[in-house]
Amino acid sequence: DDALKLASARRQRELDKVAQLRQRLARDPGLFKDAANLAELRRAAEDPLTAPDALTAMTDAPGSLSADLLYELWTGTVARNSATELARALVFSKEVRAKSSPELSIALELRMAETCEQNKELLPRVIEKGDKRSLSLLAKLSRRFGCGPNKRLDCYPCLRESKLIDEAMLAVKKRREPKPFLGK
């Protein structure tokens, strides 16, 4: 009984701590610029118990920072879990998408594009606005295999007619992606 009571009290302290952080951030959005607050928010997002509250706080961050935080948590975590899946869902939500930067928006559109033609239409915008968050997606488009019965056919043959992928890769390599959890 004592061990269970201690564990329950610890869980409640963690929940209270994240709730207080969320309230502080809601009262003063400028606190999102503080590295200690962001570190605490990241730690809370990695704990299954406190992740929903931490992700909600990220959703409430001002401007494009909310989408950047959620995207970094989603894509910057190797192991997929309920928190990363929730972060992904929130990034694609109407509310967060509306606040995302043009650079992140193009990366999200690349992730959603399913056909060769859809990707081809996006490439001029990637060249104009994309940042390093689009680089791995472009690398996937540059592969000349992966489709067909033996996975040896080109999935994106319509992209071979031009140098748009190469141009896009060069352009996005020059533009750094934000690293909000690192304060950059």
Side-chain angles (χ1 to χ4, degrees), residues 140-181:
K140 181 183 86 171
L141 296 178
S142 69
R143 279 189 255 138
R144 295 177 183 262
F145 58 88
C147 288
N150 295 326
K151 305 284 185 200
R152 293 184 183 188
L153 297 177
D154 192 344
C155 299
Y156 306 102
C158 76
L159 300 178
R160 309 299 169 232
E161 303 163 359
S162 71
K163 299 279 186 196
L164 283 175
I165 292 178
D166 295 334
E167 291 174 29
M169 289 179 88
L170 285 172
V172 301
K173 284 179 182 177
K174 294 176 185 175
R175 297 186 198 111
R176 291 184 177 203
E177 76 278 25
K179 296 283 189 183
F181 287 110

Side-chain angles (χ1 to χ4, degrees), residues 1-13:
D1 281 350
D2 288 342
L4 291 174
K5 287 179 185 175
L6 287 172
S8 179
R10 182 188 106 29
R11 277 196 323 258
Q12 191 57 51
R13 279 194 307 274

Side-chain angles (χ1 to χ4, degrees), residues 25 33 57 75 91 99 128-129 150 156 159 168 170:
L25 292 169
K33 295 177 183 174
T75 62
V91 165
K99 297 193 300 183
E128 181 184 343
K129 294 283 185 181
N150 295 326
Y156 306 102
L159 300 178
L170 285 172

Side-chain angles (χ1 to χ4, degrees), residues 62-96:
S64 63
L65 178 60
S66 66
D68 291 339
L69 288 166
L70 292 165
Y71 187 83
E72 185 176 338
L73 182 70
W74 167 38
T75 62
T77 305
V78 177
R80 295 290 171 236
N81 57 38
S82 60
T84 60
E85 288 306 309
L86 180 55
R88 182 193 61 76
L90 289 170
V91 165
F92 282 106
S93 71
K94 187 176 180 180
E95 177 184 301
V96 174

Side-chain angles (χ1 to χ4, degrees), residues 13-32:
R13 279 194 307 274
E14 288 298 315
L15 287 169
D16 291 345
K17 188 175 175 183
V18 174
Q20 290 169 4
L21 173 63
R22 187 173 164 206
Q23 288 172 354
R24 285 194 318 268
L25 292 169
R27 279 194 308 269
D28 184 1
L31 294 175
F32 276 102

Side-chain angles (χ1 to χ4, degrees), residues 68-138:
D68 291 339
L69 288 166
L70 292 165
Y71 187 83
E72 185 176 338
L73 182 70
W74 167 38
T75 62
T77 305
V78 177
R80 295 290 171 236
N81 57 38
S82 60
T84 60
E85 288 306 309
L86 180 55
R88 182 193 61 76
L90 289 170
V91 165
F92 282 106
S93 71
K94 187 176 180 180
E95 177 184 301
V96 174
R97 276 296 300 270
K99 297 193 300 183
S100 65
S101 67
E103 295 83 0
L104 179 56
S105 289
I106 195 67
L108 294 174
E109 288 180 49
L110 277 172
R111 286 185 176 276
M112 292 185 316
E114 295 178 357
T115 67
C116 190
E117 290 74 22
Q118 289 171 333
N119 282 293
K120 187 175 183 177
E121 282 182 27
L122 289 172
L123 288 176
R125 290 185 37 227
V126 174
I127 292 168
E128 181 184 343
K129 294 283 185 181
D131 62 19
K132 284 191 179 175
R133 291 177 283 197
S134 295
L135 188 59
S136 65
L137 305 167
L138 293 170

